[in-house]
Each structure stands twice: as C-alpha cells, then as structure tokens.
Amino acid sequence: MSESRNALVTGGTRGLGLAVARRLAAEGWHTTVLGLDPGRLDKVRAMAAAEELPLHAVRADVTSEESVRAVFAELTGSRPLHLCVNNAGRNLSRLLLRAPRADGGELLTHPLDEWERTLRLCLTGVFLVGREAAAAMVRHGVGGTIVNVSSGLAAGAYGQSAYTAAKAGVEALTRTWSYELGGHGIRVVAVAPGVMDGEALREKSTALPRHARYMDGLKRFVPLGRWGAEEEVADAVCFAARNPYVTGSVIRVDGGGPPGWVP
C-alpha cells in the first residue's frame, strides 16, 4: 500500500473503529480517526506515537453538518481522500412496547427522543460524512472507496427498532451510492458485523450478569459457535478497500448468524 493513501474512520477512538484504524495505519494508510471524547482522542494519539503509526485523531461530531463540513475542509482541502469508513454508531436496545407489570402500572412505549438520537448518529451521520467524502473524492479526481459499517441485525431484531431501522438504511444508502458514484470512480461497500467479542460487550456483560447469561445462550445460534473478533471485521474493511471490482455489496462478517435477537 502506498504511503500516500489517505483514510478517514469515524468512531475510531475505541472498539471496532479503532481496530479498523490501526489495521489501515499498519498497512501504510495515513489514517485520521474522528471522535468526540477528548480523553479517548488523546489515548489514540499516544498509542499512535508509541507504535509509530501514521494515525491521527481529530475531534468532530458526525451528527452535525457544520462540524462534518469543517473537518473535511481541514483534512481534504489540500490532499485527496482515498478511503472513508463510516463506523460511528451506538446500539440502543428498547422494546416498542413494554406491557405493564402484573401488579399494575402503565404501558410503556419507545421514547421518540431515543429513536431520533439513534437514527441521527447511525444513519444521518453516515449520510453527512459519506456526502462530504464523495464530494472530496470528486473534487480531487482520484476516485476512492466509502465503506459503511452496517450490522448483522439490519434485517430486524428483537428490541432494536431504532438501530435496525438505521442499519437497514445504511445498506440502502450503500446500494444507492454505488449506482450514483460509480461513474466518478468511487466504490461504496457495506460491512455488516455480527456480535463482536470486544470492549463494549465485555463491559456490559461484566456490569449486567443477566445480559452475560443471555449472550452466552444466544451464541448457540451462531453456526461457528463464537462471537467475532474486531480484527476479522478490519480484514473485511481492508478487502473492500483494495478490491477494485466490489461495490454495492454487503459483506457479512457474522459467523453465519444469529438472524436476530430472540426474547
């Protein structure tokens, strides 16, 4: 990989995003990660310096049009962008309806603000960053690749109304943009991970033993019998970045399942 190749990874200060960014940097991409938490941004900078990786960390809010435009003006104004990985997101588990307890109480419904926050980050953020990335690639006339991180749950899952709707939208954007941008030499690919045995899962399982037991039971529905590793998803992103004839596709990295959460 040429050292002049430039990549951008959103949500790149922890977990899957950081694993992708480190892999790209290790393969010679000059990689910039976007994040919001100043402490995590500093940790990425320290890690990059210690490992001598061409990895940089910049604060940006992918849900803000103003913030996204400003960071792209700074990062891509004078140099081309070859790869953009839309990874920022959060998974909020919430039932559409929660029936009242046997001893009474009111029927609870999915809060609108949680729906809107999830879609803003997981779908609108992909739109804003993808739009600016495509524009930068066209302006510099070098083509490029946009990789959108979807989810193995995009087809629907128990207790995941907002997240699954957003990820289904991400896959629809991927196909739509592949049609629109192919003539500009821009490929658009989605990578859909299953459950990752990473920091987020370990933290939640440690804090909530009931969740840990539930996840252990769910694992039996995965044909390969285990959760994925973040490095395996990073492999798929790198494949999407370097294969010149892949576009409009969804690469599923989920061990074969499960098809969705079960109650």
Side-chain angles (χ1 to χ4, degrees):
M1 183 67 64
S2 168
E3 291 189 357
S4 65
R5 305 291 277 181
N6 301 309
L8 180 73
V9 180
T10 70
T13 61
R14 64 180 297 181
L16 178 58
L18 182 57
V20 169
R22 291 180 75 172
R23 173 65 63 83
L24 291 171
E27 293 194 3
W29 292 84
H30 284 269
T31 304
T32 299
V33 301
L34 302 185
L36 272 175
D37 187 305
R40 289 191 176 276
L41 290 166
D42 286 341
K43 287 182 179 179
V44 171
R45 296 181 186 115
M47 179 270 296
E51 298 181 15
E52 298 184 339
L53 292 174
L55 184 59
H56 313 281
V58 175
R59 191 177 190 278
D61 179 0
V62 300
T63 71
S64 163
E65 183 176 35
E66 181 181 9
S67 179
V68 170
R69 282 183 164 165
V71 79
F72 270 87
E74 177 184 350
L75 296 177
T76 67
S78 60
R79 63 181 186 270
L81 176 68
H82 303 93
L83 173 64
C84 175
V85 182
N86 272 310
N87 170 73
R90 69 186 289 257
N91 186 339
L92 174 69
S93 298
R94 189 74 68 205
L95 292 170
L96 182 66
L97 301 173
R98 187 178 294 276
R101 300 185 303 273
D103 59 353
E106 63 178 314
L107 179 70
L108 301 178
T109 60
H110 193 305
L112 176 61
D113 67 318
E114 293 183 353
W115 165 271
E116 291 177 337
R117 286 202 311 271
T118 302
L119 264 70
R120 185 80 184 168
L121 177 58
C122 296
L123 183 57
T124 303
V126 170
F127 167 77
L128 292 173
V129 173
R131 183 186 65 180
E132 297 307 310
M137 291 171 183
V138 170
R139 288 191 196 103
H140 285 280
V142 297
T145 307
I146 298 172
V147 178
N148 297 322
V149 177
S150 177
S151 169
L153 304 182
Y158 184 86
Q160 303 281 330
S161 290
Y163 186 73
T164 57
K167 293 304 186 180
V170 166
E171 295 189 6
L173 285 181
T174 298
R175 289 187 290 272
T176 299
W177 291 352
S178 72
Y179 303 146
E180 295 181 0
L181 300 175
H184 296 287
I186 299 172
R187 297 182 300 104
V188 189
V189 184
V191 172
V195 178
M196 293 292 104
D197 186 11
E199 178 183 357
L201 177 62
R202 289 192 291 269
E203 286 181 353
K204 188 170 183 179
S205 295
T206 299
L208 300 170
R210 181 179 176 183
H211 177 75
R213 291 192 297 271
Y214 172 73
M215 295 303 291
D216 283 342
L218 191 64
K219 198 182 298 182
R220 72 181 185 275
F221 294 102
V222 180
L224 293 185
R226 64 175 178 86
W227 301 135
E230 291 165 345
E231 292 73 17
E232 292 167 329
V233 180
D235 283 340
V237 172
C238 289
F239 168 80
R242 65 175 171 258
N243 190 301
Y245 203 57
V246 175
T247 194
S249 302
V250 179
I251 303 172
R252 304 204 179 278
V253 190
D254 60 3
W261 301 127
V262 292

